[in-house]
Amino acid sequence: MLEYEYRELRFPRGTSRSATRQALTEHAEYGRWELARVRLYPNGSRRITLRRKIIRQVRTM
């Protein structure tokens, strides 16, 4: 069974699309995060949810 950890990013109204894209690219490239959900609010702000797999090691004897 896969387990995920989540991270939520919020971008205010004035943040450009290119700045948002750059931040998401850095999280994906260096932190291995993937896009789970994008919510755009009527006031122009964005809430973006990222997720990544939790890899648990099994102890062997």
Side-chain angles (χ1 to χ4, degrees):
M1 183 170 155
L2 292 176
E3 293 184 45
Y4 292 97
E5 67 176 306
Y6 293 89
R7 173 173 287 177
E8 193 172 281
L9 301 175
R10 294 176 185 258
F11 294 96
R13 177 180 179 187
T15 307
S16 68
R17 289 174 64 175
S18 63
T20 303
R21 180 182 48 81
Q22 183 179 1
L24 292 175
T25 302
E26 289 175 4
H27 276 85
E29 188 173 338
Y30 300 115
R32 297 192 176 258
W33 293 95
E34 62 184 34
L35 188 63
R37 182 176 300 134
V38 176
R39 175 82 192 244
L40 181 61
Y41 290 99
N43 67 359
S45 64
R46 294 180 186 96
R47 186 179 76 187
I48 299 171
T49 306
L50 303 173
R51 72 178 185 180
R52 68 177 169 188
K53 293 179 187 176
I54 298 175
I55 301 172
R56 301 207 187 270
Q57 294 182 353
V58 178
R59 181 182 287 185
T60 59
M61 297 192 134

